[in-house]
Amino acid sequence: MTDPAARIMTRGLRTSVAALLGLAGVYVLAIRFTPVEARQGMAQKIFYLHVPAAWCALLGFSLVGIGSALYLWLQDPRLDRFAAASAEVGVVFAGVMLTTGPIWAKPIWGTWWTWDARLTLTLFLFFLFVGYLALRAALHDPAERARFSAVVGILGMLLVPFIHLSVYLFRTLHPQPIVLKPSAPSLPPEMLRTLLLSMAVFTLLYIGLVMLRYGLAMAEAREEGGDVT
């Protein structure tokens, strides 16, 4: 029988490769066949990278919190393993979000960064999950590591909806949501189609990377003699 950890990693690798190929196709679509935004010009094309990365980062951090809460309830090591994998992948996507944001902001806002509510809270969330990963690396007892990091993961999840609502609650340079809002999305159909495709591809990439990391964590737990069910 094939090793379960190797099987999950193989599936994760295939999913990730498919997602990266899809991402290349999305950017061909964005650059060649999606209209150029009248005021922002070609700089707006970063939108199709920045927004899906933000979506996956916040999705990943939300699932860390859900997995952590379920771990504290059920004490199932698979939930802790999933939360850790989601946190690592979420930090990667958050890094993409925090890198592409200033590159987009400079030609549009005239500044790389501003300490407004959404940007500041997003940076804080990024560092919170970097701290989550550092905490996991510092603790060697599996039960203690899972319990303490679960608390941090839940706290991070609670910050996610506040970040989404921050542009409504505070005066900010960051634009309000254009897709995830009570009314219809405020984008031309061609731009909305490209954005939704990019978000689907990024979500697939998130799934593939989490599977890869989860399978690797299973293999590590087996080497340490832990529970790999």
Side-chain angles (χ1 to χ4, degrees), residues 61-167:
F61 294 152
S62 298
L63 292 177
V64 172
I66 293 171
S68 297
L70 289 173
Y71 171 78
L72 291 179
W73 179 28
L74 301 171
Q75 299 291 304
D76 186 334
R78 291 176 296 183
L79 293 166
D80 172 62
R81 202 176 295 138
F82 168 75
S86 188
E88 288 191 16
V89 176
V91 165
V92 171
F93 281 114
V96 174
M97 169 180 59
L98 290 169
T99 303
T100 54
I103 295 172
W104 187 14
K106 179 61 176 174
I108 307 304
W109 295 348
T111 181
W112 297 101
W113 182 268
T114 179
W115 293 100
D116 78 349
R118 170 164 283 197
L119 273 63
T120 304
L121 287 171
T122 302
L123 185 63
F124 177 76
L125 185 66
F126 172 75
F127 284 126
L128 180 67
F129 276 95
V130 170
Y132 170 97
L133 297 177
L135 176 67
R136 295 191 66 90
L139 296 175
H140 300 291
D141 179 72
E144 187 178 61
R145 178 175 60 210
R147 187 169 62 254
F148 288 157
S149 56
V151 174
V152 178
I154 293 170
L155 292 176
M157 178 187 65
L158 297 178
L159 195 56
V160 170
F162 193 63
I163 290 175
H164 179 69
L165 295 173
S166 61
V167 289

Side-chain angles (χ1 to χ4, degrees), residues 6-27:
R7 188 167 64 243
I8 292 175
M9 284 191 286
T10 300
R11 290 175 180 172
L13 180 61
R14 290 173 179 168
T15 304
S16 300
V17 170
L20 289 173
L21 292 173
L23 182 59
V26 164
Y27 253 76

